[in-house]
Amino acid sequence: MADSTTEQVRKAAGAFGLVTPVGEATASQAPAADEEWQLPGGSARVYYGTGQKGVVRPVVLADGFNLGPTDFNSLWDGLENGRFPFVSELRRRGRTLILVGFDERSESILRNAEAVVAAILRTGAEQLGGTRLLVGGFSMGGLVARYALAKLEQQRVDHRAGVFLSFDSPHRGAWVPIGLQAFAHRTAAVDDTYLRQISSPASQQMLWRYLDDTKGTPRESPLRTEFKSQLQQVGSWPRIPRLLAVSSGRGDGVGNDARAGAKTLRCAGPLFDGTYFLAQSQGDPAEAAVLDGVLGGPETITTSGFPELDGAPGGTLESFGIIADALAGAGENVETAHRSVCFVPAVSAVSVRDLGRQEDLYVSLDNLAPDEFDVDDYLLSSDNDPHALMTEDIGHWVLDRLPD
């Protein structure tokens, strides 16, 4: 392979992102925090409520998954400058917001829970007044907070939390198309940026199925199996606070427009001519992708017995769109039919069904009895929105359920 071709592939692969494009322009500068805390494996930004001079009626929220340290500017931007100004509304009600970030967001959920535990304990120590805490997180951050609270309860430590809240967190698993996982292995020969994200500890702990090699069989990662075991050892869920969950997906069983078996992304050269990806179908086997081009091939990637996960109701990621844009930026001719597919199925975000069966994945949640859910209360979105998007409906729903 010529040096110029290698550089083109490296340019594309270096921008592949699991959640966001690598090297994406950072958000505008967040306001200066009233306090900054250094924590084991992370840090926190503390924003007092309007008119307050200390930590009052606190809300502790943990960041989600990505590669590298928490970008507090982007975290703030997503909460404040999207469809609903959540931070402003929270502070206007006299609440202190404590945003917990991690030194490495792709590190083990169990290890990053140490930062959340420290933030919870410091919040309780510094708090003015006796209002119970709301503790939770976004995406992976909800799992981190869930484990942290449950572990504190197992240790008989008073976490003072009255409410636990997860924003589109993959309690029953997240989904990254198997074809894209295989592509990460293929392109790692030139640049392993994408593979380092998919194969990171946190990613393997969250993914419902993980592919460890292009010729391997998608299965539950041993890291996920161990994580679920560790959750069980601390009781699986905290028992003291009220458990709330928000999904970015619909609850009526209606998925997005990624039709099973349809091509989502096709490459026409000069780098990956003949490569294409298909939306997940139920076939046994089912073709998920064909990988071809300057790095070798053709190689067909298949799955067996999977439900139609790409099109499922749930919070979406631009899983194919991010890859398409990076390839196009390096000179590849691409056709993209579906930029976004399901990332966190609705049944996972509200923890009511596992992901392995079509009928569970697409069930109408409105028809299920409340005692089938692991959480006490939940909110589904009116559409299959981008993963963990702060909307007006979600913002008001959460604000109405803050602990008194």
Side-chain angles (χ1 to χ4, degrees), residues 55-177:
V55 177
V56 177
R57 306 171 75 200
V59 172
V60 181
L61 296 175
D63 194 13
F65 176 87
N66 214 320
L67 199 63
T70 288
D71 180 346
F72 282 101
N73 294 329
S74 293
L75 184 55
W76 173 280
D77 187 63
L79 286 174
E80 180 66 8
N81 298 323
R83 296 185 187 176
F84 182 76
F86 181 75
V87 178
S88 293
E89 290 299 317
L90 187 71
R91 299 175 75 191
R92 188 173 64 82
R93 287 163 169 78
R95 304 273 179 170
T96 294
L97 174 61
I98 300 166
L99 295 176
V100 181
F102 308 111
D103 293 342
E104 177 51 66
R105 288 170 287 180
S106 66
E107 181 55 271
S108 167
I109 292 171
L110 303 173
R111 181 169 297 180
N112 277 337
E114 296 173 10
V116 175
V117 166
I120 291 169
L121 297 180
R122 182 160 179 177
T123 300
E126 296 198 9
Q127 178 185 0
L128 305 175
T131 303
R132 287 282 180 179
L133 283 58
L134 182 148
V135 177
F138 309 95
S139 189
M140 178 197 75
L143 297 180
V144 178
R146 171 183 162 186
Y147 178 79
L149 288 171
K151 185 175 183 179
L152 285 171
E153 290 183 5
Q154 184 201 45
Q155 296 171 339
R156 300 187 182 279
V157 176
D158 183 10
H159 50 56
R160 305 202 70 256
V163 173
F164 164 77
L165 171 66
S166 62
F167 288 87
D168 214 32
S169 298
H171 294 294
R172 302 290 184 101
W175 169 250
V176 170

Side-chain angles (χ1 to χ4, degrees), residues 38-293:
Q38 291 304 308
L39 307 168
S43 60
R45 301 281 177 90
V46 182
Y47 297 91
Y48 299 158
T50 303
Q52 305 290 350
K53 299 298 183 181
V55 177
V56 177
R57 306 171 75 200
V59 172
V60 181
L61 296 175
D63 194 13
F65 176 87
N66 214 320
L67 199 63
T70 288
D71 180 346
F72 282 101
N73 294 329
S74 293
L75 184 55
W76 173 280
D77 187 63
L79 286 174
E80 180 66 8
N81 298 323
R83 296 185 187 176
F84 182 76
F86 181 75
V87 178
S88 293
E89 290 299 317
L90 187 71
R91 299 175 75 191
R92 188 173 64 82
R93 287 163 169 78
R95 304 273 179 170
T96 294
L97 174 61
I98 300 166
L99 295 176
V100 181
F102 308 111
D103 293 342
E104 177 51 66
R105 288 170 287 180
S106 66
E107 181 55 271
S108 167
I109 292 171
L110 303 173
R111 181 169 297 180
N112 277 337
E114 296 173 10
V116 175
V117 166
I120 291 169
L121 297 180
R122 182 160 179 177
T123 300
E126 296 198 9
Q127 178 185 0
L128 305 175
T131 303
R132 287 282 180 179
L133 283 58
L134 182 148
V135 177
F138 309 95
S139 189
M140 178 197 75
L143 297 180
V144 178
R146 171 183 162 186
Y147 178 79
L149 288 171
K151 185 175 183 179
L152 285 171
E153 290 183 5
Q154 184 201 45
Q155 296 171 339
R156 300 187 182 279
V157 176
D158 183 10
H159 50 56
R160 305 202 70 256
V163 173
F164 164 77
L165 171 66
S166 62
F167 288 87
D168 214 32
S169 298
H171 294 294
R172 302 290 184 101
W175 169 250
V176 170
I178 298 301
L180 290 181
Q181 294 190 43
F183 196 51
H185 287 283
R186 172 65 61 88
T187 57
V190 175
D191 187 296
D192 68 351
T193 299
Y194 197 30
L195 183 61
R196 283 189 292 116
Q197 295 168 72
I198 288 174
S199 63
S200 68
S203 174
Q204 291 192 50
Q205 288 167 335
M206 289 188 293
L207 286 177
W208 176 70
R209 291 294 181 266
Y210 170 69
L211 184 69
D212 60 6
D213 185 84
T214 57
K215 299 185 185 302
T217 300
R219 55 173 53 91
E220 181 174 283
S221 166
L223 291 182
R224 176 164 175 78
T225 303
E226 173 62 17
F227 171 61
K228 292 196 298 185
S229 174
Q230 291 294 322
L231 262 179
Q232 288 294 330
Q233 289 180 35
V234 296
S236 188
W237 293 84
R239 301 299 175 186
I240 295 172
R242 188 172 187 229
L243 306 178
L244 304 181
V246 167
S247 171
S248 296
R250 297 172 62 140
D252 58 3
V254 176
N256 60 55
D257 63 353
R259 181 172 54 84
K263 286 184 179 178
T264 55
L265 170 63
R266 186 178 74 84
C267 300
L271 304 177
F272 296 103
D273 190 19
T275 292
Y276 61 84
F277 302 89
L278 305 174
Q280 182 64 52
S281 64
Q282 297 185 74
D284 188 9
E287 187 178 73
V290 170
L291 307 183
D292 205 354

Side-chain angles (χ1 to χ4, degrees), residues 14-17 20-26 66 193:
F16 292 164
T20 58
V22 173
E24 183 180 48
T26 58
N66 214 320
T193 299

Side-chain angles (χ1 to χ4, degrees), residues 3 5-15 189-191:
D3 290 345
T5 302
T6 301
E7 285 307 310
Q8 281 182 284
V9 175
R10 183 175 290 114
K11 178 181 178 181
V190 175
D191 187 296

